[in-house]
Amino acid sequence: MLFHDRTHAGQLLADRLVPYAGQPDLLVLALPRGGVPVAFEIARALHAPLDVWVVRKLGAPRQPELAIGAVAPGGVQVLSSRLIAELGIPPDELDHIVARERAELDRRLTAYRSNRPPVDVRGKTVLLVDDGLATGASMRAAVASLRPLDPARIVVAIPVADSAVCTRLTQQADQVVCLYTPPRLDAVGQWYEDFSQTTDEEVRNLLARTSGQ
């Protein structure tokens, strides 16, 4: 285990991101829920605003932890055709999974952002943060949904990720900052002493603290 908890991971990751400190166009975006405590420490250390970019993993039937893809704002959808074929998931079942996760994405947007206007990333350097990546589907969807909004730069920042996932992300993001890249990462929680689930309330509280509300 590398990290005590997500707060500790965020503090270590913030040390690697110090060159971005003080940039006037800097924005930290967290993938909720687990990415928010990590991103909170980064935003605080770099004196940058924090917000969320809601993405939903598409879990395989009967294996919900196995990502067969992800959905993101703007109608973005990333699918693993290989896994879907290997698992024999029929189109109607896939459609059901996508619809369910789209509904949950909308619910979380309302829960976390309420009536605030959409995040404005145009011309900004965006630090896109999660607590770790196994398949990378959610992060790939996040980058794909952000790119059309014309940010100046997208930097993916994660404490731990599968090495092959990090390599693939360098083809999408402008930079990938990852503290640890094991050759095989089956479960992100294996790298944390405390990987208890982050709640909606914790997400809202951290967002309120960083905005000074």
Side-chain angles (χ1 to χ4, degrees):
M1 288 179 286
L2 298 171
F3 312 111
H4 303 312
D5 53 19
R6 292 181 179 89
T7 296
H8 178 224
Q11 291 166 348
L12 294 179
L13 192 51
D15 289 342
R16 284 280 298 275
L17 296 167
V18 165
Y20 289 99
Q23 289 191 12
D25 62 346
L26 187 65
L27 174 63
V28 180
L29 290 182
L31 272 59
R33 293 185 286 225
V36 177
V38 180
F40 175 80
E41 297 300 325
I42 294 169
R44 183 163 63 172
L46 303 185
H47 306 289
L50 170 67
D51 213 317
V52 291
W53 196 254
V54 181
V55 177
R56 289 295 297 166
K57 177 180 74 175
L58 302 175
R62 296 166 293 281
Q63 299 181 65
E65 291 307 310
L66 176 62
I68 58 172
V71 292
V76 169
Q77 179 173 293
V78 171
L79 297 175
S80 172
S81 300
R82 178 185 61 81
L83 275 177
I84 291 167
E86 286 179 1
L87 296 171
I89 303 171
D92 59 340
E93 188 167 15
L94 180 61
D95 290 344
H96 174 74
I97 294 169
V98 170
R100 183 185 65 213
E101 296 306 329
R102 283 258 173 231
E104 177 61 13
L105 186 151
D106 291 340
R107 184 199 72 80
R108 291 194 181 196
L109 276 173
T110 300
Y112 304 151
R113 307 203 73 257
S114 189
N115 295 320
R116 287 186 291 146
V119 180
D120 181 11
V121 302
R122 186 178 299 275
K124 295 181 179 179
T125 296
V126 176
L127 301 185
L128 199 53
V129 181
D130 204 355
D131 54 12
L133 303 177
T135 67
S138 295
M139 187 61 77
R140 292 199 306 274
V143 175
S145 60
L146 278 169
R147 187 65 75 184
L149 303 180
D150 204 23
R153 187 172 175 82
I154 298 177
V155 180
V156 170
I158 49 268
V160 59
D162 183 288
S163 59
V165 169
C166 270
T167 299
R168 286 197 297 271
L169 278 169
T170 60
Q171 300 169 11
Q172 275 189 280
D174 298 292
Q175 183 183 0
V176 177
V177 177
C178 187
L179 297 182
Y180 298 98
T181 54
R184 181 185 175 95
L185 194 153
D186 295 317
V188 173
Q190 294 176 346
W191 301 86
Y192 288 80
E193 290 181 35
D194 178 4
F195 199 65
S196 53
Q197 188 176 51
T198 304
T199 65
D200 285 347
E201 183 178 4
E202 288 173 318
V203 170
R204 287 191 292 266
N205 287 342
L206 290 172
L207 291 173
R209 285 174 61 188
T210 195
S211 66
Q213 296 175 354

PDB file of all heavy atoms in Angstrom, residues 113-137:
ATOM      1  N   ARG A 113     -23.460  20.233  -8.244  1.00  0.00           N
ATOM      2  CA  ARG A 113     -23.301  21.567  -8.813  1.00  0.00           C
ATOM      3  C   ARG A 113     -24.553  22.425  -8.667  1.00  0.00           C
ATOM      4  O   ARG A 113     -24.511  23.617  -8.910  1.00  0.00           O
ATOM      5  CB  ARG A 113     -22.898  21.487 -10.286  1.00  0.00           C
ATOM      6  CG  ARG A 113     -21.670  20.599 -10.531  1.00  0.00           C
ATOM      7  CD  ARG A 113     -20.947  20.925 -11.825  1.00  0.00           C
ATOM      8  NE  ARG A 113     -20.226  22.189 -11.695  1.00  0.00           N
ATOM      9  CZ  ARG A 113     -20.625  23.317 -12.203  1.00  0.00           C
ATOM     10  NH1 ARG A 113     -21.764  23.395 -12.881  1.00  0.00           N
ATOM     11  NH2 ARG A 113     -19.917  24.417 -12.046  1.00  0.00           N
ATOM     12  N   SER A 114     -25.679  21.806  -8.308  1.00  0.00           N
ATOM     13  CA  SER A 114     -26.930  22.532  -8.064  1.00  0.00           C
ATOM     14  C   SER A 114     -27.255  23.432  -9.256  1.00  0.00           C
ATOM     15  O   SER A 114     -27.291  22.986 -10.387  1.00  0.00           O
ATOM     16  CB  SER A 114     -26.824  23.328  -6.765  1.00  0.00           C
ATOM     17  OG  SER A 114     -28.074  23.867  -6.410  1.00  0.00           O
ATOM     18  N   ASN A 115     -27.432  24.732  -8.990  1.00  0.00           N
ATOM     19  CA  ASN A 115     -27.815  25.667 -10.051  1.00  0.00           C
ATOM     20  C   ASN A 115     -26.635  26.460 -10.605  1.00  0.00           C
ATOM     21  O   ASN A 115     -26.831  27.439 -11.336  1.00  0.00           O
ATOM     22  CB  ASN A 115     -28.884  26.633  -9.541  1.00  0.00           C
ATOM     23  CG  ASN A 115     -30.178  25.914  -9.211  1.00  0.00           C
ATOM     24  OD1 ASN A 115     -30.587  25.010  -9.935  1.00  0.00           O
ATOM     25  ND2 ASN A 115     -30.810  26.301  -8.111  1.00  0.00           N
ATOM     26  N   ARG A 116     -25.429  26.054 -10.261  1.00  0.00           N
ATOM     27  CA  ARG A 116     -24.271  26.781 -10.776  1.00  0.00           C
ATOM     28  C   ARG A 116     -24.155  26.597 -12.287  1.00  0.00           C
ATOM     29  O   ARG A 116     -24.516  25.547 -12.812  1.00  0.00           O
ATOM     30  CB  ARG A 116     -22.989  26.304 -10.095  1.00  0.00           C
ATOM     31  CG  ARG A 116     -22.845  26.782  -8.646  1.00  0.00           C
ATOM     32  CD  ARG A 116     -21.490  26.404  -8.089  1.00  0.00           C
ATOM     33  NE  ARG A 116     -21.354  24.974  -7.901  1.00  0.00           N
ATOM     34  CZ  ARG A 116     -20.221  24.302  -8.064  1.00  0.00           C
ATOM     35  NH1 ARG A 116     -19.138  24.923  -8.475  1.00  0.00           N
ATOM     36  NH2 ARG A 116     -20.179  23.000  -7.841  1.00  0.00           N
ATOM     37  N   PRO A 117     -23.650  27.589 -12.984  1.00  0.00           N
ATOM     38  CA  PRO A 117     -23.503  27.466 -14.446  1.00  0.00           C
ATOM     39  C   PRO A 117     -22.488  26.382 -14.793  1.00  0.00           C
ATOM     40  O   PRO A 117     -21.666  25.989 -13.955  1.00  0.00           O
ATOM     41  CB  PRO A 117     -23.017  28.854 -14.872  1.00  0.00           C
ATOM     42  CG  PRO A 117     -22.404  29.446 -13.649  1.00  0.00           C
ATOM     43  CD  PRO A 117     -23.187  28.912 -12.493  1.00  0.00           C
ATOM     44  N   PRO A 118     -22.509  25.893 -16.018  1.00  0.00           N
ATOM     45  CA  PRO A 118     -21.542  24.872 -16.433  1.00  0.00           C
ATOM     46  C   PRO A 118     -20.106  25.345 -16.250  1.00  0.00           C
ATOM     47  O   PRO A 118     -19.815  26.542 -16.296  1.00  0.00           O
ATOM     48  CB  PRO A 118     -21.871  24.672 -17.919  1.00  0.00           C
ATOM     49  CG  PRO A 118     -23.289  25.116 -18.058  1.00  0.00           C
ATOM     50  CD  PRO A 118     -23.468  26.237 -17.080  1.00  0.00           C
ATOM     51  N   VAL A 119     -19.226  24.377 -16.033  1.00  0.00           N
ATOM     52  CA  VAL A 119     -17.811  24.693 -15.875  1.00  0.00           C
ATOM     53  C   VAL A 119     -17.277  25.299 -17.164  1.00  0.00           C
ATOM     54  O   VAL A 119     -17.500  24.773 -18.255  1.00  0.00           O
ATOM     55  CB  VAL A 119     -17.009  23.422 -15.538  1.00  0.00           C
ATOM     56  CG1 VAL A 119     -15.528  23.759 -15.377  1.00  0.00           C
ATOM     57  CG2 VAL A 119     -17.536  22.771 -14.284  1.00  0.00           C
ATOM     58  N   ASP A 120     -16.574  26.423 -17.043  1.00  0.00           N
ATOM     59  CA  ASP A 120     -15.978  27.089 -18.205  1.00  0.00           C
ATOM     60  C   ASP A 120     -14.496  26.736 -18.262  1.00  0.00           C
ATOM     61  O   ASP A 120     -13.712  27.183 -17.432  1.00  0.00           O
ATOM     62  CB  ASP A 120     -16.164  28.602 -18.089  1.00  0.00           C
ATOM     63  CG  ASP A 120     -15.584  29.346 -19.290  1.00  0.00           C
ATOM     64  OD1 ASP A 120     -15.237  28.688 -20.291  1.00  0.00           O
ATOM     65  OD2 ASP A 120     -15.471  30.586 -19.214  1.00  0.00           O
ATOM     66  N   VAL A 121     -14.106  25.925 -19.243  1.00  0.00           N
ATOM     67  CA  VAL A 121     -12.708  25.495 -19.349  1.00  0.00           C
ATOM     68  C   VAL A 121     -11.989  26.160 -20.511  1.00  0.00           C
ATOM     69  O   VAL A 121     -10.793  25.931 -20.710  1.00  0.00           O
ATOM     70  CB  VAL A 121     -12.615  23.961 -19.501  1.00  0.00           C
ATOM     71  CG1 VAL A 121     -13.273  23.261 -18.327  1.00  0.00           C
ATOM     72  CG2 VAL A 121     -13.235  23.499 -20.823  1.00  0.00           C
ATOM     73  N   ARG A 122     -12.676  26.981 -21.275  1.00  0.00           N
ATOM     74  CA  ARG A 122     -12.076  27.577 -22.468  1.00  0.00           C
ATOM     75  C   ARG A 122     -10.814  28.372 -22.112  1.00  0.00           C
ATOM     76  O   ARG A 122     -10.835  29.249 -21.258  1.00  0.00           O
ATOM     77  CB  ARG A 122     -13.071  28.500 -23.164  1.00  0.00           C
ATOM     78  CG  ARG A 122     -12.563  29.060 -24.505  1.00  0.00           C
ATOM     79  CD  ARG A 122     -13.612  29.925 -25.161  1.00  0.00           C
ATOM     80  NE  ARG A 122     -14.812  29.175 -25.458  1.00  0.00           N
ATOM     81  CZ  ARG A 122     -14.986  28.451 -26.559  1.00  0.00           C
ATOM     82  NH1 ARG A 122     -14.006  28.404 -27.473  1.00  0.00           N
ATOM     83  NH2 ARG A 122     -16.096  27.786 -26.765  1.00  0.00           N
ATOM     84  N   GLY A 123      -9.705  28.033 -22.775  1.00  0.00           N
ATOM     85  CA  GLY A 123      -8.456  28.744 -22.583  1.00  0.00           C
ATOM     86  C   GLY A 123      -7.738  28.447 -21.279  1.00  0.00           C
ATOM     87  O   GLY A 123      -6.717  29.061 -20.983  1.00  0.00           O
ATOM     88  N   LYS A 124      -8.222  27.471 -20.516  1.00  0.00           N
ATOM     89  CA  LYS A 124      -7.625  27.192 -19.203  1.00  0.00           C
ATOM     90  C   LYS A 124      -6.774  25.928 -19.229  1.00  0.00           C
ATOM     91  O   LYS A 124      -6.956  25.046 -20.071  1.00  0.00           O
ATOM     92  CB  LYS A 124      -8.727  27.051 -18.148  1.00  0.00           C
ATOM     93  CG  LYS A 124      -9.501  28.341 -17.915  1.00  0.00           C
ATOM     94  CD  LYS A 124     -10.555  28.178 -16.850  1.00  0.00           C
ATOM     95  CE  LYS A 124     -11.304  29.492 -16.629  1.00  0.00           C
ATOM     96  NZ  LYS A 124     -12.364  29.367 -15.615  1.00  0.00           N
ATOM     97  N   THR A 125      -5.841  25.887 -18.287  1.00  0.00           N
ATOM     98  CA  THR A 125      -5.099  24.658 -18.049  1.00  0.00           C
ATOM     99  C   THR A 125      -5.881  23.845 -17.032  1.00  0.00           C
ATOM    100  O   THR A 125      -6.089  24.273 -15.903  1.00  0.00           O
ATOM    101  CB  THR A 125      -3.693  24.958 -17.493  1.00  0.00           C
ATOM    102  OG1 THR A 125      -2.942  25.678 -18.483  1.00  0.00           O
ATOM    103  CG2 THR A 125      -2.961  23.667 -17.148  1.00  0.00           C
ATOM    104  N   VAL A 126      -6.335  22.677 -17.452  1.00  0.00           N
ATOM    105  CA  VAL A 126      -7.189  21.842 -16.612  1.00  0.00           C
ATOM    106  C   VAL A 126      -6.381  20.675 -16.054  1.00  0.00           C
ATOM    107  O   VAL A 126      -5.787  19.903 -16.812  1.00  0.00           O
ATOM    108  CB  VAL A 126      -8.386  21.307 -17.412  1.00  0.00           C
ATOM    109  CG1 VAL A 126      -9.220  20.362 -16.553  1.00  0.00           C
ATOM    110  CG2 VAL A 126      -9.243  22.457 -17.927  1.00  0.00           C
ATOM    111  N   LEU A 127      -6.351  20.581 -14.722  1.00  0.00           N
ATOM    112  CA  LEU A 127      -5.788  19.402 -14.067  1.00  0.00           C
ATOM    113  C   LEU A 127      -6.943  18.459 -13.781  1.00  0.00           C
ATOM    114  O   LEU A 127      -7.817  18.760 -12.961  1.00  0.00           O
ATOM    115  CB  LEU A 127      -5.080  19.780 -12.761  1.00  0.00           C
ATOM    116  CG  LEU A 127      -3.928  20.785 -12.858  1.00  0.00           C
ATOM    117  CD1 LEU A 127      -3.270  20.950 -11.492  1.00  0.00           C
ATOM    118  CD2 LEU A 127      -2.909  20.352 -13.890  1.00  0.00           C
ATOM    119  N   LEU A 128      -6.972  17.331 -14.444  1.00  0.00           N
ATOM    120  CA  LEU A 128      -8.062  16.367 -14.340  1.00  0.00           C
ATOM    121  C   LEU A 128      -7.616  15.243 -13.412  1.00  0.00           C
ATOM    122  O   LEU A 128      -6.661  14.524 -13.715  1.00  0.00           O
ATOM    123  CB  LEU A 128      -8.388  15.840 -15.742  1.00  0.00           C
ATOM    124  CG  LEU A 128      -9.725  15.176 -16.006  1.00  0.00           C
ATOM    125  CD1 LEU A 128     -10.895  16.047 -15.561  1.00  0.00           C
ATOM    126  CD2 LEU A 128      -9.843  14.847 -17.489  1.00  0.00           C
ATOM    127  N   VAL A 129      -8.319  15.090 -12.280  1.00  0.00           N
ATOM    128  CA  VAL A 129      -7.810  14.278 -11.171  1.00  0.00           C
ATOM    129  C   VAL A 129      -8.771  13.147 -10.800  1.00  0.00           C
ATOM    130  O   VAL A 129      -9.984  13.356 -10.700  1.00  0.00           O
ATOM    131  CB  VAL A 129      -7.582  15.164  -9.921  1.00  0.00           C
ATOM    132  CG1 VAL A 129      -7.032  14.330  -8.757  1.00  0.00           C
ATOM    133  CG2 VAL A 129      -6.645  16.320 -10.251  1.00  0.00           C
ATOM    134  N   ASP A 130      -8.212  11.963 -10.567  1.00  0.00           N
ATOM    135  CA  ASP A 130      -8.958  10.854  -9.980  1.00  0.00           C
ATOM    136  C   ASP A 130      -8.065  10.188  -8.937  1.00  0.00           C
ATOM    137  O   ASP A 130      -6.886  10.529  -8.800  1.00  0.00           O
ATOM    138  CB  ASP A 130      -9.393   9.862 -11.062  1.00  0.00           C
ATOM    139  CG  ASP A 130     -10.616   9.047 -10.650  1.00  0.00           C
ATOM    140  OD1 ASP A 130     -11.064   9.178  -9.487  1.00  0.00           O
ATOM    141  OD2 ASP A 130     -11.131   8.279 -11.481  1.00  0.00           O
ATOM    142  N   ASP A 131      -8.621   9.207  -8.206  1.00  0.00           N
ATOM    143  CA  ASP A 131      -7.844   8.569  -7.137  1.00  0.00           C
ATOM    144  C   ASP A 131      -7.013   7.399  -7.634  1.00  0.00           C
ATOM    145  O   ASP A 131      -6.206   6.835  -6.895  1.00  0.00           O
ATOM    146  CB  ASP A 131      -8.744   8.130  -5.976  1.00  0.00           C
ATOM    147  CG  ASP A 131      -9.907   7.240  -6.420  1.00  0.00           C
ATOM    148  OD1 ASP A 131      -9.889   6.771  -7.579  1.00  0.00           O
ATOM    149  OD2 ASP A 131     -10.832   7.027  -5.616  1.00  0.00           O
ATOM    150  N   GLY A 132      -7.185   7.004  -8.887  1.00  0.00           N
ATOM    151  CA  GLY A 132      -6.414   5.916  -9.464  1.00  0.00           C
ATOM    152  C   GLY A 132      -7.121   5.371 -10.692  1.00  0.00           C
ATOM    153  O   GLY A 132      -8.325   5.573 -10.864  1.00  0.00           O
ATOM    154  N   LEU A 133      -6.374   4.678 -11.555  1.00  0.00           N
ATOM    155  CA  LEU A 133      -6.942   4.176 -12.801  1.00  0.00           C
ATOM    156  C   LEU A 133      -6.541   2.720 -13.008  1.00  0.00           C
ATOM    157  O   LEU A 133      -5.357   2.388 -12.990  1.00  0.00           O
ATOM    158  CB  LEU A 133      -6.448   5.001 -13.993  1.00  0.00           C
ATOM    159  CG  LEU A 133      -6.702   6.522 -13.973  1.00  0.00           C
ATOM    160  CD1 LEU A 133      -6.063   7.161 -15.197  1.00  0.00           C
ATOM    161  CD2 LEU A 133      -8.188   6.815 -13.918  1.00  0.00           C
ATOM    162  N   ALA A 134      -7.543   1.879 -13.204  1.00  0.00           N
ATOM    163  CA  ALA A 134      -7.286   0.482 -13.551  1.00  0.00           C
ATOM    164  C   ALA A 134      -7.424   0.293 -15.060  1.00  0.00           C
ATOM    165  O   ALA A 134      -6.458  -0.011 -15.755  1.00  0.00           O
ATOM    166  CB  ALA A 134      -8.238  -0.439 -12.792  1.00  0.00           C
ATOM    167  N   THR A 135      -8.627   0.533 -15.604  1.00  0.00           N
ATOM    168  CA  THR A 135      -8.823   0.434 -17.055  1.00  0.00           C
ATOM    169  C   THR A 135      -8.664   1.785 -17.740  1.00  0.00           C
ATOM    170  O   THR A 135      -8.356   1.835 -18.934  1.00  0.00           O
ATOM    171  CB  THR A 135     -10.217  -0.106 -17.387  1.00  0.00           C
ATOM    172  OG1 THR A 135     -11.209   0.859 -17.002  1.00  0.00           O
ATOM    173  CG2 THR A 135     -10.486  -1.416 -16.659  1.00  0.00           C
ATOM    174  N   GLY A 136      -8.920   2.865 -17.013  1.00  0.00           N
ATOM    175  CA  GLY A 136      -8.789   4.203 -17.590  1.00  0.00           C
ATOM    176  C   GLY A 136      -9.976   4.657 -18.409  1.00  0.00           C
ATOM    177  O   GLY A 136      -9.952   5.746 -18.994  1.00  0.00           O
ATOM    178  N   ALA A 137     -11.056   3.859 -18.451  1.00  0.00           N
ATOM    179  CA  ALA A 137     -12.211   4.203 -19.293  1.00  0.00           C
ATOM    180  C   ALA A 137     -12.821   5.543 -18.885  1.00  0.00           C
ATOM    181  O   ALA A 137     -13.142   6.379 -19.738  1.00  0.00           O
ATOM    182  CB  ALA A 137     -13.267   3.097 -19.222  1.00  0.00           C
TER     183      ALA A 137
END
